[in-house]
Amino acid sequence: MIKSQIAAIFLAFTAIFSTVSALDNGLGLTPQMGWNSWNKFACDVNEDVIKQTADAIISLGLDKLGYVYVNIDDCWSSGRDANNTLIPDPKTFPNGIKALADYVHSLGLKLGIYSDAGTNTCAGRPGSLNYEEIDAQTWADWGVDYLKYDNCNNQGISPKQRYPTMRDALNKTGRPIFYSLCEWGQEDPSSWAQTVGNSWRTTGDISANWGSVKEIYEAQVNLSFNNLLCAQISQLTRSQLSIAKDLVAGMTLTCLK
């Protein structure tokens, strides 16, 4: 009997690896792949950089491997107009985002953009807090395919309140826009973001060195293992739970504290 219970627990642990879900908007069925401007260019991004990057993805054949997103990060907007519509910085994006999206689409790629669930972005540009519907419709009209949504200047409002508002605004536009939550793991998004976004970041920024990559990788392994096991453990009977505690003895699982 004990052996069969142990086997059942291990089979259950294995099965849950196939049950992870995300926002059901037809996107994110496989991990998003592409390029983001921040690590290399930060606020020195401009439309020529985006076009050259899109060209390079095609010339290197990376699009055939699934790298399809070309994403503008912070610093692309200079303000809002009289109608509160975001204005692309005329110095760095003189032809606007719509023309840039058209160029990227002509290559068979997708264009991503950045905003923040706060009053300002991390670099001090206009944020989207309280402007969600206006901004979502603006991006849809421009042909944007992806939104990275950051967490600076958030006025102390929980991301569980701020991020669903943008989800609803994006869905209302009728345009499929990949929704990438970037709340840095502030309130354990892996436990609630599945119905809010297509992806959710669980750590701070990555840096261009192996130590940073390794640290974030290890954090994800530990977080995923904890969440997956805890999700299944919550379904166990009392006797099975006792066995599970013995099986995972020495591991730090939040649900077994």
Side-chain angles (χ1 to χ4, degrees):
M1 181 63 177
I2 294 297
K3 287 184 178 180
S4 64
Q5 287 178 314
I6 293 174
I9 292 171
F10 273 114
L11 286 173
F13 285 169
T14 302
I16 58 176
F17 279 89
S18 62
T19 64
V20 177
S21 61
L23 177 63
D24 185 16
N25 62 356
L27 302 174
L29 302 180
T30 58
Q32 73 272 38
M33 295 169 63
W35 177 90
N36 176 282
S37 63
W38 185 256
N39 257 353
K40 173 64 176 177
F41 294 98
C43 278
D44 292 328
V45 65
N46 57 60
E47 66 180 43
D48 289 337
V49 165
I50 301 303
K51 286 183 176 180
Q52 291 165 9
T53 300
D55 292 341
I57 288 175
I58 297 300
S59 65
L60 293 171
L62 295 175
D63 58 314
K64 295 179 175 58
L65 301 176
Y67 292 86
V68 297
Y69 287 105
V70 184
N71 294 347
I72 311 167
D73 208 279
D74 205 346
C75 303
W76 63 269
S77 175
S78 61
R80 294 183 181 274
D81 64 17
N83 296 315
N84 286 322
T85 303
L86 288 165
I87 304 170
D89 191 321
K91 295 179 181 178
T92 51
F93 293 88
N95 294 302
I97 303 301
K98 176 65 167 64
L100 188 56
D102 289 345
Y103 181 83
V104 170
H105 292 160
S106 73
L107 300 177
L109 302 175
K110 299 178 183 296
L111 183 74
I113 210 160
Y114 166 100
S115 191
D116 189 282
T119 53
N120 292 95
T121 70
C122 297
R125 305 301 176 99
S128 293
L129 185 65
N130 300 321
Y131 294 95
E132 289 87 356
E133 289 197 6
I134 294 175
D135 292 352
Q137 190 59 58
T138 297
W139 299 323
D141 293 343
W142 288 344
V144 167
D145 305 293
Y146 186 114
L147 172 64
K148 173 186 171 182
Y149 206 39
D150 218 335
N151 194 34
C152 289
N153 303 299
N154 57 47
Q155 307 304 298
I157 305 170
S158 169
K160 295 179 183 179
Q161 178 179 340
R162 290 177 288 115
Y163 282 84
T165 305
M166 181 57 81
R167 171 202 61 195
D168 296 342
L170 293 171
N171 287 343
K172 186 177 180 181
T173 69
R175 179 175 179 80
I177 297 177
F178 190 105
Y179 186 28
S180 175
L181 281 59
C182 181
E183 63 94 85
W184 324 319
Q186 176 181 326
E187 290 192 23
D188 187 20
S190 63
S191 68
W192 56 266
Q194 292 88 344
T195 59
V196 179
N198 296 112
S199 69
W200 44 93
R201 209 170 95 178
T202 56
T203 71
D205 284 356
I206 194 170
S207 300
N209 61 77
W210 176 245
S212 175
V213 173
K214 182 174 180 289
E215 180 181 358
I216 290 177
Y217 166 76
E218 290 174 347
Q220 299 321 294
V221 170
N222 293 335
L223 177 63
S224 297
F225 192 68
N226 179 90
N227 288 348
L228 289 170
L229 263 62
C230 285
Q232 188 60 35
I233 285 173
S234 68
Q235 306 299 317
L236 300 180
T237 65
R238 181 170 297 181
S239 61
Q240 288 174 325
L241 180 59
S242 176
I243 296 170
K245 287 183 176 180
D246 290 337
L247 291 173
V248 299
M251 297 180 186
T252 303
L253 297 179
T254 57
C255 54
L256 293 182
K257 288 183 178 179

